[in-house]
Amino acid sequence: FDLLGHCDLIKKRNTDHKYFNPQEPWYQRLTSHLLKTAKKQKVRLEVNTGGIARGAINETYPSMEMIRECAELGLSLTLSSDAHQSTHLDFYFAQATDLLIQAGYRTLDTLRHGIWQAAPIK
């Protein structure tokens, strides 16, 4: 596959760190390994705003911390709303692109005519 989505979906059911603290070393090691493997396999990650649109969580999948590591690794990203209704098609996109720029991104991958292409963040 060439796109990894919902890479930290596990946090959706972990409100208030009920089951684990994402700052714990074991979790950090696993997420770092995941991102390094994605880089090695040339897999881009989806930045997904759907959980925010549906009120399930208050941040994107993946988290900002993971997005920063993606930038350090040079991983390609794409932006998606995972919309379940038309009003959510571009939900939180302006804020998400601001976060991506803060992390160091200047382009996002887009699928055009079946080919992934880097496009400038607007």
Side-chain angles (χ1 to χ4, degrees):
F1 59 93
D2 58 358
L3 175 65
L4 175 60
H6 296 72
C7 69
D8 62 348
L9 180 66
I10 190 171
K11 70 184 176 191
K12 182 177 176 182
R13 303 286 186 228
N14 192 41
T15 305
D16 298 325
H17 304 156
K18 180 178 177 179
Y19 300 109
F20 67 93
N21 182 338
Q23 300 306 314
E24 290 178 12
W26 68 268
Y27 185 80
Q28 294 294 311
R29 280 192 308 273
L30 288 174
T31 58
S32 185
H33 178 71
L34 169 76
L35 297 178
K36 288 174 183 171
T37 301
K39 173 67 175 177
K40 182 179 176 182
Q41 298 299 318
K42 298 181 176 131
V43 173
R44 71 194 37 79
L45 264 69
E46 170 201 41
V47 175
N48 185 308
T49 64
I52 301 168
R54 291 184 290 283
I57 57 172
N58 61 5
E59 66 177 353
T60 61
Y61 306 114
S63 67
M64 186 59 181
E65 186 169 303
M66 289 180 73
I67 290 170
R68 285 189 189 103
E69 187 170 352
C70 288
E72 290 172 13
L73 293 170
L75 273 163
S76 296
L77 300 179
T78 191
L79 182 59
S80 168
S81 62
D82 189 18
H84 292 197
Q85 53 187 320
S86 61
T87 57
H88 293 165
L89 281 174
D90 64 352
F91 190 88
Y92 203 75
F93 275 22
Q95 297 91 329
T97 54
D98 286 346
L99 294 174
L100 295 173
I101 290 168
Q102 289 173 26
Y105 279 91
R106 300 297 174 256
T107 63
L108 285 171
D109 281 10
T110 58
L111 191 60
R112 295 183 190 271
H113 307 291
I115 300 170
W116 285 104
Q117 300 173 18
I121 295 176
K122 296 179 182 178

